[in-house]
Amino acid sequence: MASSGGTSYTLIPNQKFRRSNRRSRQPCNTLDMDPQSLSALGYFKTLPLEIFQMVLNYLSVKDISMLSMVSKTISNRLINYISSPSGNRRLLLQDFHNSELPGMREGCSILEHYKSLGLLLKRCTLLLPTKDRLKFIHKVLSEISCFKLNGCPNPLHCLGLQCYGVFLQILTAGWDELECHRVFNFLCELSNLPRKVQTVVSSKPGSARKLELRIRLYCRAVLLNHWSHRSDSAFWLTRILKPWPMVNQARLLYIIFGPVSSLDGHVVWQKMTEGPTDETSLKGLADAIKLLYDTEAREWTADDVISLVDELSVVPREWLMENNARLLILSGNNICFTFMASKAVNRRAMELARLTVFLALVCEKDLYCMDWAVKMMQKVCKVFSTPGERNHFLQCVENAFAHMIMDMLQAVLTGDRDEEDTSFLNLFHLVNAQANFHKEILYLTMRSSTD
C-alpha cells in the first residue's frame, strides 16, 4: 500500500511538471529569436491582416503616422489600409458642415484631423517620387466632393476647402520649389482652374458671380490661407497671378482679396467707384500688395507691383481718389512713396498733387497722424530734379485743395443732401484736413528755422 501510494504520489507531479515544461518552452523560444530573423513587420507578422487593421482603429491618426515610420513594409500595409473601404470610412471624414467631430474629445476639429491625415500621407509616401505621391493622394481623396472647386452646393458654410488647404500645407511643408510647382500644376489640372480664371477675367465684372466666388474661396482656402511664412504665401500667390497679363492680374487680385457682400459673399465690384470705403474693404488687397512687394517675392520687381496697383485702381472702372489714397496708406510707406515717386519722375504733378490732398483727407478721417502726410510730401519733393519742378508741384497741391473745397461747397449749396448729410461732412473733413496739413508744415518750418 505504501509502495503503491508512493508510486502514485511521485507520478502525478512528474506529469504536471512535464506539461508545465512543454507550455513554457514555446514562448521562450519566440522571445529568444534572433532579431535578424524577424520580418520588417516585427511581431505584427503574427497578426492576420484583418486583425492588424482592427488594431489601427484603436490608434489616433497621429499614432498611425508614427507607426508608418517604423519600416517600409509597415508603411506599405498602412497605404493599403488607407485605400481600403474601412480605412476610407475611418480617415476620410466628410462632416464639413459641422466643425466639431462627433464622438471625439471636445475641441478636436475636423481641421485638426486633416492636418494629422496630411502628416500620415506625407510619411507613408515619403519614398515615392512626387508624381506618384500626388497620384496616390488624388486617388485617396478623389471621392470627397467638398474638396473640389465646384463640389459643394453651399461653399460659404463648408469647411471642405479649408481642410483640403491644411492637408496640402502639411503634406508639402519642406518641399522644394520644383516640387511645389508640380503640386500647383497638378491642382490646376484637377480643378481646371486656368480655364475658370480665364472665364472670369475676360467677362464683364459680376456676370459670373458664382464662379468668381468659387475661385476666391478655392484660391484662399486651398492655396493661400494656411502658410505661416510669408515666402510660402508669396510663392503660391505668384503662381496664381503670374501666368496672366497685368490687367488680368489686377482683376484676379480684386476677385480674391476685394470686398464682398456680407449677405451672399459675392464680390462687390462697385465698392471703390460709388463712394468712400473703409479699411476693412481694402485690407485684403493691401496685404496682398505688401506681400508681393516684400523681398521674399523674388519674381516681382518694384515696378511690377506699382504697375499692378495702377491697374487695380481702375478695376472695374476708375476708383475714387480717396479709396486709392486709403489703399496706399494701408499698403505701407515704401509702396506709397514708390507709387508717388513714379508719378513725380513721369512729371504727372497734377495727379500727384490731388493724391497728396486725398492722403491728407484720409489721415483726417481715419485719425492718422497728419505729420505722416507732410513728411511723405517732403520726401517726394526730393525726387524732382529741379527747384522749378518742385515749386510747380507745391503750387498744384495748393490749387488742388482750393478746387476740391470749392467743388464740395457747391455740392452743399445746391442742397442735394442725403440723410447723413454726406456733402457737408466731406467739406468739414476736407477743411480740417487742410488746416491740420498746413499746421504740420508750419511746425516743420519753424523747427527748421530754429535749428
Side-chain angles (χ1 to χ4, degrees):
M1 291 290 296
S3 171
S4 132
T7 302
S8 63
Y9 176 79
T10 55
L11 288 176
I12 292 172
N14 287 339
Q15 291 173 349
K16 285 185 176 180
F17 174 78
R18 284 194 298 273
R19 287 185 189 132
S20 174
N21 191 40
R22 282 197 302 271
R23 287 177 179 173
S24 63
R25 186 179 298 122
Q26 187 173 0
C28 286
N29 288 342
T30 303
L31 291 172
D32 292 338
M33 287 176 63
D34 184 355
Q36 298 285 337
S37 66
L38 291 174
S39 73
L41 280 172
Y43 296 113
F44 285 115
K45 184 179 180 182
T46 61
L47 295 178
L49 182 60
E50 295 81 2
I51 303 298
F52 176 74
Q53 293 188 355
M54 287 176 65
V55 171
L56 295 179
N57 289 332
Y58 288 91
L59 300 178
S60 69
V61 182
K62 288 183 179 179
D63 291 337
I64 297 174
S65 72
M66 290 293 293
L67 181 62
S68 70
M69 302 294 287
V70 171
S71 70
K72 183 178 179 181
T73 308
I74 286 185
S75 182
N76 288 336
R77 277 214 176 182
L78 291 176
I79 287 176
N80 293 333
Y81 169 70
I82 293 167
S83 303
S84 69
S86 61
N88 270 228
R89 286 192 301 272
R90 163 79 194 286
L91 298 173
L92 302 184
L93 305 178
Q94 298 189 42
D95 192 14
F96 299 118
H97 300 268
N98 178 14
S99 60
E100 297 297 322
L101 296 180
M104 298 189 71
R105 68 182 183 276
E106 184 178 354
C108 183
S109 70
I110 197 166
L111 288 170
E112 291 298 322
H113 173 81
Y114 273 95
K115 282 184 182 179
S116 300
L117 184 61
L119 185 60
L120 170 59
L121 289 177
K122 185 189 189 80
R123 288 172 170 173
C124 282
T125 61
L126 192 63
L127 300 178
L128 296 177
T130 301
K131 185 177 180 181
D132 294 337
R133 295 176 92 173
L134 295 175
K135 283 184 177 179
F136 171 71
I137 290 163
H138 170 60
K139 181 182 176 183
V140 171
L141 303 180
S142 60
E143 298 304 316
I144 303 180
S145 61
C146 289
F147 281 7
K148 300 173 183 176
L149 192 147
N150 287 319
C152 181
N154 190 15
L156 278 176
H157 301 95
C158 177
L159 290 173
L161 293 179
Q162 292 185 53
C163 289
Y164 194 24
V166 298
F167 172 88
L168 288 173
Q169 188 266 327
I170 295 296
L171 177 74
T172 60
W175 290 18
D176 61 35
E177 283 197 4
L178 180 59
E179 291 176 313
C180 291
H181 272 280
R182 289 173 179 158
V183 172
F184 181 75
N185 293 335
F186 186 77
L187 292 173
C188 285
E189 185 179 344
L190 290 181
S191 62
N192 205 10
L193 182 62
R195 178 167 293 189
K196 291 178 170 61
V197 169
Q198 176 67 52
T199 298
V200 296
V201 297
S202 59
S203 303
K204 182 181 178 182
S207 61
R209 297 168 70 232
K210 291 183 179 179
L211 185 55
E212 291 170 357
L213 171 62
R214 289 189 179 275
I215 289 173
R216 178 190 178 96
L217 294 176
Y218 187 86
C219 289
R220 290 177 69 135
V222 176
L223 299 174
L224 298 172
N225 282 358
H226 306 290
W227 300 103
S228 55
H229 298 294
R230 292 178 62 81
S231 57
D232 293 322
S233 300
F235 171 83
W236 290 101
L237 182 56
T238 300
R239 301 284 69 75
I240 294 170
L241 296 179
K242 271 297 184 180
W244 305 99
M246 188 67 71
V247 62
N248 290 342
Q249 289 178 15
R251 177 86 75 90
L252 187 53
L253 197 71
Y254 194 96
I255 289 172
I256 298 173
F257 295 106
V260 294
S261 167
S262 59
L263 298 177
D264 56 17
H266 291 130
V267 178
V268 182
W269 288 99
Q270 308 307 322
K271 186 83 170 178
M272 305 303 171
T273 61
E274 291 182 341
T277 189
D278 54 11
E279 291 184 7
T280 306
S281 299
L282 290 164
K283 188 177 185 306
L285 291 169
D287 288 344
I289 292 166
K290 284 191 285 189
L291 187 67
L292 298 178
Y293 192 83
D294 199 329
T295 54
E296 298 287 355
R298 297 187 300 275
E299 297 174 62
W300 297 82
T301 66
D303 286 343
D304 289 337
V305 178
I306 295 308
S307 297
L308 183 59
V309 174
D310 230 357
E311 288 289 348
L312 187 62
S313 66
V314 293
V315 174
R317 298 190 309 277
E318 187 172 359
W319 290 12
L320 295 181
M321 188 67 81
E322 181 178 330
N323 293 334
N324 202 16
R326 188 171 278 108
L327 176 65
L328 288 173
I329 290 175
L330 293 174
S331 297
N333 291 354
N334 291 335
I335 293 173
C336 184
F337 169 72
T338 306
F339 185 85
M340 296 177 75
S342 69
K343 291 188 180 296
V345 168
N346 292 304
R347 299 182 177 180
R348 295 158 68 178
M350 196 61 215
E351 287 182 38
L352 182 57
R354 280 176 49 81
L355 179 57
T356 302
V357 172
F358 276 103
L359 289 175
L361 178 61
V362 173
C363 286
E364 177 66 26
K365 280 188 172 184
D366 296 354
L367 304 179
Y368 298 128
C369 294
M370 189 61 74
D371 68 335
W372 174 87
V374 172
K375 289 176 181 177
M376 184 62 68
M377 184 186 72
Q378 187 182 32
K379 191 175 178 182
V380 170
C381 282
K382 296 177 182 178
V383 176
F384 291 103
S385 54
T386 66
E389 290 179 346
R390 182 179 65 247
N391 292 339
H392 173 64
F393 163 65
L394 294 175
Q395 183 62 56
C396 287
V397 171
E398 294 306 314
N399 291 340
F401 265 118
H403 290 155
M404 286 177 57
I405 288 175
M406 292 303 297
D407 289 342
M408 289 186 181
L409 180 59
Q410 186 175 4
V412 171
L413 295 177
T414 55
D416 296 332
R417 299 182 181 178
D418 53 25
E419 292 181 1
E420 297 180 357
D421 213 356
T422 304
S423 298
F424 181 78
L425 284 175
N426 285 337
L427 177 61
F428 171 79
H429 286 304
L430 183 58
V431 170
N432 277 333
Q434 184 186 39
N436 289 323
F437 185 79
H438 286 98
K439 178 187 71 176
E440 293 298 334
I441 292 176
L442 290 174
Y443 285 163
L444 187 64
T445 304
M446 294 304 293
R447 280 196 296 267
S448 298
S449 63
T450 55
D451 289 342

